[in-house]
Amino acid sequence: MMLAYGLLALGLSSVLAIVTWSVVSDYLTEQRDSAAVVVTSDSAAALRYGLFGAPASCRPGHEQAECDNPTLLPGVRPMDVLNSLPSTDAAATMMYLEDHWYALTGKPSDLPPDVIQGALGGSVVQRRIEVNGQPVLAVGVPLGRQGDAFFEWHPLTTLDSTLRTLKLTLISAAFATALIGLAVGRLASTVALRPLAELTRVARAVATGKLDERLEAENDPHLGGLARSFNQTAADLERRVAADARFAGDVSHELRTPLMTMLNSMQLIQNHRAELPAAVREPVELLGDDLERFRRLVIDLLEISRDDGGDRGSREIVRIADLVRAAADAAAGREVTTVESDAEHLTLQADKRRLERVIANLVENAEDHAGGCKGVGVRAGGLGVIITVDDAGPGIAAEDRTRIFERFGRGETSGRGRGVGLGLAIVARHVQWHHGTIQVTDRPGGGARFTVELPAKSG
């Protein structure tokens, strides 16, 4: 819309400028030419009177300038008559009389031959020429006798300067009008598309998990129906997500009691593993692994249901280096954290439980599904602090690098197929809750590198 307004304004202003230039330039040129011819004709009339005196006889119905065969007055000197002419803006004054040139200024050689011949033949002739690089209008007027003529040329510098100024003014006005058109188009498009921009903002917010966002255009005569439909859809989605979260939370809570019973029983059985028959030991180990996966699944479901249920958490100032070092080393069971000196004193307004879960999930993911954690790094940069978790696995294919952060989205091509698919989804949700970003790339030397950026500042 802005471009359309700008082009329309440019087109209209260009047409107006062209028409104005054509009319005004033609008018000014015609007026200048007519004035030059009139001035030269008046000078020629005064010159005839000074050379020939008043005509003796003229045919009825003709002007004095057309009287036949005037003769020079006795004792008249042509140069004296030329000198006596009233001053005008003419840059040159010349006369051809009785086969001789008389000139006050200018050179007859600068006159075009056709101008000379036309004037000597009894016609008023005018022509634009250049003399010494300057544009002039050469005018030739007959003196009333065949073979005699008077010539002047008038400078056109002022006219050309005026026309040049007019041209620049019109061009500037056209561009200024185009810019005004662009500004008006931008304003009009902003006003016209403001409801759509609001719709885009609210839709983006809903897509990122802010299900309580609503449009405020329900009373708009044009977008009211769309706004009401969108708000109804968002409200239904919010209720559905809340119901699913409650269901997942209720199920998880109900599973905790029998799960704890099974885990305690399994621990008791494993304590007496040496007393079991050899044929039973392997099934017991497999059952223990599945019970551990079941335990982590229940914990992850409780975590997700807590987020989906609207848990706002609590923010406190935490020292990132200490938190990452404690969470990562505990999850790996050994020291794996390296903190750069520029990150030792970085702090963040964070939910300590959520941030610890982010680090623990990434390290456990590397330990359990990617050949072990190769190291956790903390350094200043990016949004404030950059946390990297490297593993020794085969890496993650490019097509899986977004899907692994979805719920139950597992990177099958990366050797992580045994996971339940919720740990990285929880990581992504918690990082977003802290207004940070997470991405996965290839680690130099092989494996995957998870990079978390969080908005931190020096404590």
Side-chain angles (χ1 to χ4, degrees):
M1 186 178 294
M2 182 177 69
L3 183 61
Y5 269 87
L7 292 177
L8 178 62
L10 180 61
L12 292 177
S13 60
S14 297
V15 171
L16 181 61
I18 292 173
V19 172
T20 302
W21 164 259
S22 177
V23 172
V24 174
S25 61
D26 288 348
Y27 175 78
L28 291 178
T29 301
E30 182 179 353
Q31 289 296 107
R32 184 67 182 90
D33 292 351
S34 299
V37 170
V38 169
V39 169
T40 305
S41 298
D42 290 344
S43 298
L47 187 61
R48 280 197 301 270
Y49 183 82
L51 292 174
F52 308 119
S57 61
C58 289
R59 293 194 297 270
H62 287 72
E63 297 293 334
Q64 287 187 348
E66 298 178 13
C67 293
D68 296 333
N69 298 322
T71 58
L72 287 174
L73 294 175
V76 170
R77 299 176 61 183
M79 285 301 299
D80 293 339
V81 179
L82 278 177
N83 283 323
S84 65
L85 290 178
S87 59
T88 64
D89 66 345
T93 302
M94 294 167 286
M95 177 179 61
Y96 188 78
L97 181 67
E98 294 182 343
D99 300 328
H100 289 88
W101 281 103
Y102 302 91
L104 292 179
T105 54
K107 296 183 295 183
S109 59
D110 291 331
L111 288 171
D114 58 335
V115 172
I116 298 174
Q117 294 301 322
L120 295 179
S123 301
V124 176
V125 184
Q126 61 187 49
R127 176 75 58 80
R128 285 180 66 102
I129 62 174
E130 283 194 4
V131 178
N132 297 326
Q134 297 296 321
V136 298
L137 180 66
V139 180
V141 178
L143 286 177
R145 292 195 316 179
Q146 190 73 19
D148 296 339
F150 175 70
F151 302 91
E152 285 185 338
W153 62 59
H154 302 264
L156 298 177
T157 305
T158 303
L159 175 63
D160 288 351
S161 177
T162 301
L163 294 178
R164 190 180 306 111
T165 302
L166 175 63
K167 182 189 297 184
L168 293 176
T169 301
L170 292 176
I171 293 175
S172 301
F175 278 105
T177 304
L179 293 176
I180 294 174
L182 289 173
V184 172
R186 182 177 179 82
L187 177 61
S189 62
T190 300
V191 173
L193 300 179
R194 185 177 298 160
L196 297 181
E198 179 67 12
L199 173 62
T200 302
R201 184 192 65 79
V202 175
R204 186 184 296 112
V206 171
T208 55
K210 298 179 181 179
L211 301 181
D212 56 345
E213 289 285 341
R214 296 293 183 269
L215 284 173
E216 299 180 357
E218 292 191 2
N219 296 324
D220 189 283
H222 303 292
L223 295 178
L226 176 62
R228 286 188 291 272
S229 298
F230 181 88
N231 289 342
Q232 182 63 42
T233 302
D236 293 342
L237 178 61
E238 184 180 17
R239 286 193 294 269
R240 178 63 180 271
V241 170
D244 291 344
R246 286 193 301 271
F247 175 76
D250 293 342
V251 170
S252 300
H253 279 291
E254 292 297 326
L255 289 175
R256 292 184 68 179
T257 299
L259 177 61
M260 291 304 298
T261 301
M262 287 187 288
L263 288 173
N264 291 333
S265 300
M266 177 56 64
Q267 185 64 45
L268 181 61
I269 293 174
Q270 289 178 343
N271 291 338
H272 296 276
R273 183 176 180 276
E275 303 174 9
L276 296 175
V280 179
R281 292 174 184 173
E282 184 176 356
V284 169
E285 291 179 358
L286 294 176
L287 180 60
D289 291 341
D290 284 341
L291 280 176
E292 177 60 22
R293 292 183 64 211
F294 189 30
R295 181 188 69 83
R296 295 184 62 177
L297 174 61
V298 171
I299 293 174
D300 288 344
L301 285 175
L302 284 172
E303 186 74 17
I304 288 180
S305 64
R306 184 184 293 115
D307 282 349
D308 290 343
D311 180 18
R312 299 297 180 183
S314 60
R315 295 183 184 272
E316 58 182 300
I317 298 178
V318 298
R319 180 165 292 187
I320 298 174
D322 296 340
L323 184 146
V324 173
R325 187 183 289 112
D329 294 350
R334 63 188 188 280
E335 292 186 3
V336 295
T337 306
T338 302
V339 179
E340 301 290 341
S341 59
D342 58 359
E344 281 289 353
H345 303 289
L346 293 178
T347 60
L348 171 67
Q349 283 277 355
D351 186 317
K352 189 176 180 180
R353 179 188 63 81
R354 281 186 167 98
L355 194 53
E356 287 176 340
R357 191 64 186 275
V358 168
I359 304 303
N361 277 14
L362 290 175
V363 174
E364 290 173 0
N365 185 72
E367 287 286 304
D368 297 341
H369 311 298
C373 178
K374 298 293 291 184
V376 178
V378 183
R379 59 185 174 88
L383 298 175
V385 66
I386 298 177
I387 305 169
T388 58
V389 179
D390 294 338
D391 63 40
I396 299 177
E399 61 270 17
D400 293 332
R401 292 179 181 178
T402 300
R403 187 160 56 90
I404 61 173
F405 294 109
E406 300 173 357
R407 296 180 185 183
F408 300 104
R410 294 175 290 181
E412 301 294 343
T413 61
S414 64
R416 304 171 191 268
R418 297 184 65 255
V420 296
L422 290 177
L424 293 181
I426 293 173
V427 169
R429 286 287 297 272
H430 288 352
V431 169
Q432 182 183 14
W433 189 91
H434 286 92
H435 307 293
T437 63
I438 182 170
Q439 61 178 343
V440 59
T441 57
D442 293 328
R443 180 179 70 88
R449 169 172 289 177
F450 286 83
T451 303
V452 177
E453 291 189 21
L454 297 172
K457 60 183 180 179
S458 180

